Amino acid sequence: GDVALLTRDTAWERAEDRPRRAGVSSFGISGTNAHVILEEGPPTVESSRATADGDVPAEATGSRTVPLPLSAAEPGALRAQAERLVSLMASDPELSPQDVGLSLATTRSALEHRAVVLAADREQALRGLRAVAQQETPGHVLTGAVTAGGGRTAFLFAGQGSQRLGMGRELYETYPVFADAFDAVCLHLDVALPSG
């Protein structure tokens, strides 16, 4: 293919017959490497179609949908939080859904009872927050609760990439310190992870 390493800002020309694609590689100092291929999404289709609950989809308006995540220790507190946010946004016309969503995502604890309002604009944000306050769930509002024992996600980076097949096994067989450390980690994982 036509591959080039960029060394400066370059205009990304749009091809008529295919979407634009780019490969990105990141090499960590610990040996952890990440590679991703990015492809541009389909062009936005202009439309005025409204959904069943009267909301115009974000792709129809050309605006971005913003999540407004809410959480509380119990359902009543979740409804109260939504009511407070309605009052706050109604009292300040300059307050954007983007600002509210960012603040909710970065400054609030993630508690058991949760709701997410997906808003393409200010009016949709207010309608969604009112729906949460009234325990309604239109199409752009998601609600739920954390299940007991839901667990947490963890990532383990061994600090050594596997550049070739069997490399980890050879390290284990050749270097006792590596084998001891690997066994110690596996012992912890074997206790924490379900068998099967």
Side-chain angles (χ1 to χ4, degrees):
D2 185 14
V3 178
L5 179 65
L6 296 181
T7 58
R8 59 184 169 76
D9 287 348
T10 305
W12 195 358
E13 299 300 325
R14 187 179 302 273
E16 295 291 328
D17 59 336
R18 60 182 168 78
R20 295 181 290 186
R21 292 185 188 95
V24 179
S25 293
S26 174
F27 302 95
I29 59 173
S30 68
T32 302
N33 303 329
H35 309 283
V36 66
I37 296 177
L38 304 173
E39 178 177 299
E40 76 176 316
T44 302
V45 177
E46 292 299 325
S47 170
S48 60
R49 291 172 294 132
T51 61
D53 58 3
D55 295 317
V56 177
E59 54 270 13
T61 63
S63 60
R64 291 188 175 159
T65 299
V66 176
L68 281 68
L70 293 82
S71 74
E74 52 95 16
L78 188 68
R79 293 191 301 275
Q81 183 186 17
E83 290 172 357
R84 287 191 303 274
L85 286 167
V86 168
S87 297
L88 177 68
M89 289 186 73
S91 68
D92 185 356
E94 298 298 314
L95 191 57
S96 72
Q98 291 84 354
D99 290 336
V100 173
L102 176 65
S103 296
L104 290 170
T106 60
T107 65
R108 306 264 317 167
S109 297
L111 301 172
E112 293 82 17
H113 295 274
R114 300 178 185 180
V116 177
V117 174
L118 302 173
D121 57 34
R122 183 180 171 75
E123 289 307 312
Q124 193 173 29
L126 287 167
R127 280 197 308 274
L129 291 169
R130 288 186 187 106
V132 172
Q134 297 165 6
Q135 289 185 286
E136 298 171 356
T137 53
H140 68 290
V141 174
L142 306 169
T143 59
V146 176
T147 57
R152 296 173 13 198
T153 301
F155 297 93
L156 173 65
F157 295 98
Q160 176 60 52
S162 56
Q163 284 79 16
R164 58 181 162 64
L165 186 63
M167 184 173 166
R169 183 174 51 253
E170 290 177 18
L171 285 170
Y172 188 91
E173 293 168 353
T174 306
Y175 298 99
V177 172
F178 180 89
D180 290 344
F182 185 84
D183 288 342
V185 170
C186 287
L187 183 64
H188 289 287
L189 292 176
D190 288 344
V191 171
L193 298 175
S195 60

